[in-house]
Each structure stands twice: as structure tokens, then as C-alpha cells.
Amino acid sequence: MATTFADQLRSLPDEALGALIQLRPDLVVPVPADISALAVRAQSRNSVARCLDSLDEFTLLVLDAARLSRAADTALTSVDAILQLTTEVSADDVRVAVDRLRVRFLLHGPPEALQVVGAVDEVTSPYPAGLGRPADYLDVQAAVLVADRARLRRTVLAAPAGARAVLDRLAAGPPIGSLSRDSMAEPVRWLVDQHILVPISEAGRAPRPDGELVELPREVGMLLRRDTGPLGSLRPFPPIPEAPVRDLKAVDSAGTGQAMEAVRATEAILDALATESAPVLRAGGLGVRDLKRLARAAGLDEASAALLVEITYAAGLLGESEVNGSRAAGSTAQDVFLPTGAYDLWRATSVAHRWAVLARTWLAMTRQPGLIGRRDERDRPINALAPDAERGGAPQARREALDVLADLETGAAPTVEDLLALLAWQAPRRARGRDGAHRDAFSGAALLGLTGLGALTSYARLLLVSPEPDEGDPLGVHPEDAPADAVRALDNLMPVPVDHFLVQADLTVVVPGPPEPELGAELDDIAEPESAGGASVFRVTPASLRRALDVGYRADDLHTLFRRRSRTPVPQTLTYLIDDTARKHGGLRTGSAGSYLRSDDEALLTEVLADKRVSAADLRRIAPTVLVSPRPVARLLGTLREAGYAPVAEDVGGATMLTRPKARRAPTRTPRIAEPAGPPVLAGPRLAGVVEQLRRGDIATRAARRAPVTVRAAQGQAVPGLTAVQQHSQAMAVLQQAVRDRAKVWVGYVDSHGATLSRLVRPVSLSAGYLRAEDERGESLHTFALHRITAAVTEE
């Protein structure tokens, strides 16, 4: 019969061992040398805490029942003992929860002699289910009181109203209350005098009458919970909210519209930064004033704009570029935020693909934009893109929030409060303190169009699916195009891109759907955007036509473009406006002197020279048809165009230079997306390979033990069974178990002179790279460096 924890693991069939590894994949990262090392890892604090984080409320309460029902002498419990504490619910539901704990090896041993893994007590509250410690542990007189059940009931019933209120609060948990050392409140004084409450020290060890803390003994708490049960309210099943169910087509339609709006707003933000970059704050991040400017440009509130700014930076669409400061002599270079070259590539893809990039980045980025605008612990505001908004747990919080929606009925649209309650039941330890992150996740999903009308969209479900490893992918390495199904689904839901528009008599241009990339680029040149949505609206203005002429269009090109693209007759007013703008365009020529301005129209040059709006250009006449300026050509062109003139640049030969201005871009940078949290998915051949590796390692370790090498003991005697080839991981397992059991072990170690010695000790602690242990007579405490320990064997 398997006795030790490692022996119980070793006796498992391959299927059961594989199930344990699937439920606790951190146990094999990296793969342990053998089963003994696996057992050590399975009992470690970090692994046990990680496993507990994934358990639901009911299973954790059943584990508390196992802790409460342990026998004082053996520390063992049983399924029957657990059932006695959970009579309010079905025994079958309790057995299912016990099985969940056993298959994860948080409980181990036969049903009639179950043992709780030691680390459970170390990483959980010392008060299981909110109940205090036994009375015989706290105080002798309290133990005498609770031993007489009838007397205990009479004493509790006789409690004054104020004292009964204190009891009810402590019975609900936690069972600890604080006292004033100078004056004890009358109700509490009465309870202490009756030994219903026990004064304790802050360390919770030695009782003292004038202590600052009091504790409610476990037996009293269980008596006070007689109506609700010893563990309180038990909910074996999740609190599924009664939510309205939306039609999936309506959900997808609303989500698709929001996804298109998110893409449009992202482009507006990055275009605004390309036009006017934003400086990087000295402490890092984007200033409040610049964030407000970007929010206005995108037509969003500041919180939504901050979210999109964070996503674009994490996706590598936005970056930092160094520009030379020119405000004062000797000024240093200054970093500014600008779109990167990746933005141009991203913009050339379909709307669905652009959305998928934003959505995947949001899911994986370790930033929490909901913190932006709040204050940190030093009462300083948290800015967008500042280091203070970094949160390593943000990706997991988003996954949890969307997974809880995905598990509900298709089209279900519960309230945020209902979803938070469901999350708190599914993983109470993990959900604790994450309400803010989960709320941010739901609002972010709505902004990006992953949800519509409060329900999860069909394409968002496809985005959340992680394909299981198959025979063609035994290592579980998923391809980069994993969201291809989501992109195709969103593409099918979006309006078909159009290649035409409708020109109205008031010079507005209506695009009845998302424009094709080529049409979108043309509209950017020839018109000003007015509104976006399913049908976007642009307006043709003299300024937009001058912009088109500036990038190389001729009047004939514009006439042809409008005739080819418009499904309505081109208004005569637009034809006249194009011809009039083209006729004036290029009437002024500029070059470098700094720069010069020339024209055959002397009166026009006289008008420009007298115009106060262009005084910043410092123009002066050097000939009847020529003006010069110390400003660069680009600066002179911009000043004249802002004043309403239509100059063009020319080269040294006098030929007109009509080119599209080069977009300002920051250097391309790697997207700041974290690797998926947690261990990789294990299944199929990969899982079988891990199990086989563990079995082989176990066989090799056992074979090595068959060649014993006697080690010289400190006092000269031989140490039976201590071998020099014993695995270091096995020695750690023996030492950890000895710390728990307070058992004596023979420790083999190498001293500072290189000699191999051994000593019989009783381990006290194992941490920070050192073993601290008492010698066999308990007279002194020895410290051993773990890297010098060669073996450890329990005393026979």
C-alpha cells in the first residue's frame, strides 16, 4: 500500500498522472527529474496556491470542511467526516467536490483516511470557513465551557443584546475582534468573563487577559451557525444570472458597428499624432492635454481614447521618435509620440484584420488603461503610456471576464454586477481585489466591439478559442494566424466595401459603406471627413482641392476621379470649384534662398508683401517679380497656404514640384504584447511524453540507489543507506517532509575542506537556500547550505 505522498503519485496509472498534470500544468515546468521531485513540487506553497486559485467557492468550502474535520491526534479526515459538516447540500455534490480535490492531490489517501496537503494551511486563512481555533487550543476554561453543550447554549442565550450582536458578527467570520487595552466595552467584557471569547496576543499564540485581540472559539461559532450550517451558505452550483437573451444577429450587428467605429477612432488618433506629434513626458507617458486633443480628434471621451492609445502602443503602431529641440540654444533632443511604419502596413489591410490586431493586442497587453486618470499611492495622476499603468495580471483578468460571458447561453446579456458575482463564485481567491480590472475588461470589450448589446458576439467567441494541440502540432505551438476564423466571420458581417460615392449639390460626398483602401486614400486627398459610421460623409472644400493639387493631381485628374467614382451627376458647382482652384494653384512659385517667391503678377506679390498674415515669413522684394525669405521652403509654403494663397514649389530649373508629403513616422518597434500567461497546454502526444519522461526518471533514480557508497559520519559511525549518488531533488523531498513531520534525518554534506560528512539532525526550516536543523541531542542549531547537501535519509 502506498504510504508517502510520492508513493501515492507513483502508484497512479498513466491516465490519472496525466490528468493531474493537465489540471496542474505548473508541476512540469520544467519537467521534474522523477516522481519524488514531482511530489515535492506538488506540495510546494506556490504550486498549491496556484491550484487553489482555480477552484470554485463550493470546492474551497469543502476543503475547509476537510481541514475542520481533521482528527487532533492523526491530522486525518474522511469523506464521512466531511459529509457531517455539509448536511445542507446533497451528499453527491459534496463527493464530486472531494473528487475534484483528490484528483488535484490537495487531498490524498484513501476515503477513510484523507490527508490535507500541508501547504494548504500555509497559503490559506488560519480560520477555515471563518471559524476560530478549537477551544482547548485557546483556553482551558473555554474548553470546559464548550465541553458542556447544554451549559454553552444557556450561556449564549443569556447574552445581552450588545454581546449577542458581537457574537453574530464574529460568527460570520473572521472570528477575531480587536479590543482597547485601556477600557473594554461592556458587551465584550461580559463575553470574556463568561469564557465565550478568549483574549489572545497579536501573534495569536499565548492568551493574556489584557490582550488587544479576542477570538471566538470554533465550537461557539458552529453553535451560532446552527441555522445556516457550520460552513455558512453552501452553493454547489454557480449563480447563473437571469439575463435577457438577445438575438444573435442583433448582437453581431451592434458589435460589428462598434468594431468599425473602434478602427476608425484608432486611425483618427494616429493621424492626429502624425499631423502634430505629442511630446513624451519626462517621467514617461502622454500628457493630459495631448490626450484631450486626441480624444477630440477621434470624437471619444478621454477614457476611451486612453484605451486606444495604449492598444496602439502595445501593438507597435505607435512609438517614440527623437526630434531635435529648437526652443533654445543648446537644447537637447526630445522624444515625441508618432505612428510607426507598421501603421501604414496595418492601414492597408481589411477592416476586419485591423480590428483583429487591436482586439488580440488588448487581450494580451499587460496594461490596465482603466487606471489612467486615477492617482497612485503617492497621490500623483497616472498618465496614458506611463509605467504606473503596468499590471501583470491584466491579461488574465480580461480572459476571465470574457470567458464567463462565453460560458453563458449564446446571446445572454447579464449586468456587470451579475457577472462579477459569477466570477467571485468561480474563483474567489483569484477574483479578490480584481473588481476594477474586471469592470475595465467589460467596458473595453464593449468599446472594441467584442460585445454587442451586452452579449458576446460570434466572432469574439472565435477569437477567444485556443485550438487544442493535435497530431500535426504535438508541442501545442499555435500559428500566428490563429484568429483567421474570427477575421473571416467579421468580414462576412461587415458591409461590402464600396468603390463609389454619391456627390450632393452642397458638395458633400456620401460613401454608402466602408470604402475600399484605394477609394479611402483618394478621399483623404480630395475631401474633409465630417462624420463616420455605416455611411460616412465627407465635404469637398477649396482647401481639400488645394491639398489634392499639392500632392500631384491636375484639374483633369480631379474631374475624371469624380466622374468615375460618383454614382450621381457631378454638380456644376463642384466643376467650377475645381477649375477655379486649379487656375489659382501654382500662380505663386517658391524656392530656396532660404526660400524665394516669384510670380509674373506683380500686383499679387505686392498684395502678399503687404499681407500681415504672412509677416512671419519675413518676405522682402528683390525684383519686381521675386520675393525672398530666410525661412525654409516648407515653412514658407505652409504660411502662404494658411493665409489662403495657392503657391507651389519649383525645382532649380523652374519646373513645378507636385509631390505627396512624406508622412512622419517613428521607428518601427516590436509590439509590446506579453506571452500567454501560465504554462503551455498539455494534451495528446506531448502529455504522454511528459508522463513517460517522469517514469523513466523514476526508474533511473531507483537504479542509482542500488549502488550504495558508505559515507563517513561525523562521529565516526557508518550511516546505513546513505549514498553519494542520491538525487539532490530526492534529498530536498526528504528534508521538506522531515520539516513537516519534525522527524530526524541523516544529512550527508560536503564541508568547507571538501570532506564528505553526515550528521543526524531534526530539520526546523528550509528556506532562502539554507537548511536549519537541531542536532540529535537538540543542544544547538546547525545551518547547512543546500548546494552542499549530497543526500538525506530518514532515520530508521
Side-chain angles (χ1 to χ4, degrees):
M1 179 179 176
T3 55
T4 67
F5 190 90
D7 288 339
Q8 293 179 47
L9 289 180
R10 198 172 284 116
S11 65
L12 292 175
D14 288 353
E15 293 77 8
L17 186 58
L20 171 65
I21 293 171
Q22 281 187 308
L23 292 169
R24 299 177 63 178
D26 61 291
L27 296 180
V28 292
V29 181
V31 178
D34 53 30
I35 300 292
S36 295
L38 180 71
V40 172
R41 199 173 293 176
Q43 297 177 87
S44 66
R45 292 170 54 95
N46 289 340
S47 181
V48 168
R50 193 175 291 114
C51 184
L52 291 173
D53 288 345
S54 66
L55 296 180
D56 60 70
E57 174 190 286
F58 181 66
T59 305
L60 288 173
L61 284 173
V62 171
L63 181 59
D64 279 347
R67 297 171 63 197
L68 290 169
S69 60
R70 287 179 292 193
D73 52 347
T74 63
L76 298 178
T77 183
S78 66
V79 174
D80 291 338
I82 294 172
L83 289 173
Q84 290 177 7
L85 294 178
T86 55
T87 55
E88 299 80 11
V89 295
S90 166
D92 291 339
D93 294 333
V94 177
R95 289 190 175 93
V96 169
V98 170
D99 289 341
R100 280 197 291 267
L101 295 169
R102 294 183 68 190
V103 75
R104 290 167 172 80
F105 267 73
L106 296 174
L107 290 179
H108 61 95
E112 67 279 2
L114 291 173
Q115 186 171 351
V116 181
V117 168
V120 169
D121 293 321
E122 300 173 11
V123 300
T124 56
S125 168
Y127 307 107
L131 292 171
R133 290 166 292 182
D136 57 3
Y137 178 87
L138 295 172
D139 181 68
V140 175
Q141 292 176 307
V144 172
L145 173 65
V146 301
D148 188 343
R149 302 287 293 177
R151 179 188 168 196
L152 175 61
R153 289 191 185 92
R154 289 195 301 271
T155 306
V156 171
L157 289 174
R164 185 56 189 261
V166 172
L167 287 178
D168 290 340
R169 188 189 68 78
L170 294 178
I176 298 294
S178 60
L179 297 173
S180 170
R181 184 173 297 185
D182 298 329
S183 60
M184 188 180 296
E186 189 63 30
V188 179
R189 187 198 306 270
W190 187 90
L191 292 170
V192 171
D193 291 342
Q194 300 299 320
H195 309 296
I196 297 176
L197 294 183
V198 179
I200 60 173
S201 68
E202 289 200 25
R205 292 177 182 173
R208 60 183 189 186
D210 62 343
E212 294 182 341
L213 298 176
V214 291
E215 182 172 339
L216 183 70
R218 179 177 301 174
E219 295 83 354
V220 181
M222 294 179 72
L223 173 65
L224 293 170
R225 291 185 182 184
R226 60 187 179 278
D227 295 331
T228 60
L231 303 179
S233 176
L234 293 176
R235 298 184 294 176
F237 304 104
I240 302 298
E242 295 182 1
V245 179
R246 315 289 190 192
D247 179 67
L248 185 57
K249 289 184 178 179
V251 171
D252 284 346
S253 177
T256 301
Q258 187 57 42
M260 295 171 62
E261 173 63 17
V263 172
R264 180 209 63 79
T266 301
E267 293 176 352
I269 287 174
L270 292 174
D271 286 342
L273 285 170
T275 302
E276 182 182 349
S277 61
V280 179
L281 298 178
R282 182 176 300 177
L286 182 71
V288 175
R289 186 174 301 174
D290 288 308
L291 179 61
K292 291 181 177 179
R293 172 173 65 87
L294 297 178
R296 288 194 300 269
L300 299 172
D301 58 80
E302 291 177 33
S304 300
L307 173 62
L308 294 180
V309 167
E310 291 282 358
I311 292 174
T312 55
Y313 191 87
L317 306 178
L318 178 66
E320 299 172 11
S321 180
E322 188 179 274
V323 294
N324 292 325
S326 57
R327 287 173 294 179
S331 61
T332 58
Q334 181 185 20
D335 286 344
V336 295
F337 290 111
L338 279 174
T340 66
Y343 170 56
D344 300 305
L345 300 176
W346 174 80
R347 196 172 184 181
T349 61
S350 68
V351 176
H353 187 274
R354 279 177 268 172
W355 172 85
V357 171
L358 299 179
R360 291 185 70 201
T361 301
W362 174 73
L363 280 172
M365 70 180 187
T366 56
R367 305 280 297 171
Q368 190 172 334
L371 298 174
I372 295 170
R374 303 179 190 175
R375 293 190 171 272
D376 60 15
E377 61 278 0
R378 290 170 288 183
D379 200 34
R380 298 186 307 184
I382 299 176
N383 294 319
L385 303 178
D388 295 327
E390 191 77 16
R391 292 293 184 275
Q396 186 178 12
R398 295 187 194 104
R399 279 282 178 178
E400 291 168 357
L402 295 184
D403 285 345
V404 77
L405 263 177
D407 291 339
L408 298 177
E409 180 183 356
T410 301
T415 64
V416 172
E417 299 303 325
D418 287 339
L419 291 171
L420 292 176
L422 185 53
L423 282 165
W425 184 92
Q426 287 183 342
R429 285 171 54 92
R430 203 160 52 202
R432 193 178 302 127
R434 280 194 176 179
D435 272 11
H438 288 145
R439 290 180 186 275
D440 292 344
F442 291 126
S443 61
L447 177 69
L448 291 173
L450 280 86
T451 58
L453 304 178
L456 196 65
T457 60
S458 60
Y459 53 87
R461 289 179 184 273
L462 294 173
L463 188 71
L464 294 175
V465 171
S466 296
E468 294 292 337
D470 53 28
E471 294 182 0
D473 183 24
L475 297 182
V477 180
H478 307 319
E480 288 297 323
D481 59 349
D485 290 341
V487 172
R488 283 193 293 269
L490 183 57
D491 258 331
N492 293 333
L493 291 168
M494 284 187 171
V496 178
V498 298
D499 61 354
H500 62 277
F501 48 67
L502 308 174
V503 182
Q504 309 293 325
D506 61 351
L507 300 186
T508 56
V509 177
V510 179
V511 185
E516 291 182 344
E518 183 180 356
L519 176 59
E522 292 172 346
L523 287 168
D524 287 342
D525 291 335
I526 65 175
E528 305 287 356
E530 286 201 340
S531 66
S536 49
V537 179
F538 296 78
R539 182 176 295 277
V540 180
T541 65
S544 69
L545 292 176
R546 282 198 299 269
R547 185 172 66 243
L549 294 168
D550 289 339
V551 298
Y553 285 96
R554 296 175 301 177
D556 290 343
D557 297 331
L558 293 173
H559 287 308
T560 302
L561 186 152
F562 279 103
R563 285 195 300 269
R564 177 168 53 90
R565 294 292 192 183
S566 179
R567 290 293 184 268
T568 57
V570 179
Q572 196 172 30
T573 52
L574 178 57
T575 302
Y576 289 159
L577 181 61
I578 292 173
D579 291 339
D580 186 56
T581 305
R583 184 172 57 256
K584 295 177 181 178
H585 189 263
L588 297 176
R589 305 296 178 94
T590 181
S592 58
S595 59
Y596 66 84
L597 182 68
R598 71 178 183 86
S599 175
D600 294 332
D601 188 346
E602 295 182 19
L604 179 58
L605 286 181
T606 301
E607 178 187 346
V608 171
L609 195 59
D611 195 337
K612 293 183 179 180
R613 295 174 297 174
V614 299
S615 59
D618 294 330
L619 291 167
R620 65 186 180 89
R621 179 170 255 154
I622 61 173
T625 58
V626 180
L627 303 180
V628 295
S629 169
R631 309 303 175 202
V633 174
R635 175 90 174 268
L636 179 58
L637 280 170
T639 301
L640 292 170
R641 286 169 179 164
E642 287 176 4
Y645 297 102
V648 295
E650 63 181 20
D651 60 16
V652 292
T656 301
M657 298 171 58
L658 299 174
T659 58
R660 188 180 302 274
K662 185 177 180 180
R664 297 177 66 198
R665 294 292 182 261
T668 301
R669 45 182 291 278
T670 303
R672 225 172 64 178
I673 301 177
E675 292 295 324
V681 177
L682 291 173
R686 189 181 190 195
L687 179 61
V690 171
V691 172
E692 182 180 359
Q693 184 175 343
L694 287 169
R695 299 290 193 198
R696 289 179 179 274
D698 215 42
I699 293 172
T701 300
R702 290 187 172 191
R705 293 177 187 170
R706 298 193 183 101
V709 177
T710 303
V711 182
R712 181 170 58 85
Q715 291 84 7
Q717 71 269 28
V719 183
L722 193 61
T723 62
V725 297
Q726 201 164 5
Q727 294 285 333
H728 182 73
S729 60
Q730 182 193 358
M732 295 302 103
V734 172
L735 292 173
Q736 288 187 352
Q737 192 63 43
V739 170
R740 296 189 185 95
D741 298 341
R742 298 286 294 165
K744 292 182 180 180
V745 294
W746 283 102
V747 174
Y749 62 98
V750 178
D751 66 8
S752 58
H753 302 289
T756 303
L757 304 174
S758 66
R759 186 181 294 272
L760 182 62
V761 296
R762 188 189 304 276
V764 175
S765 66
L766 189 68
S767 62
Y770 289 93
L771 168 69
R772 292 171 180 82
E774 300 172 349
D775 68 9
E776 57 180 311
R777 291 169 295 182
E779 296 178 354
S780 60
L781 190 68
H782 296 277
T783 300
F784 303 89
L786 293 184
H787 69 274
R788 291 185 175 273
I789 295 176
T790 58
V793 175
T794 305
E795 182 188 29
E796 295 295 336

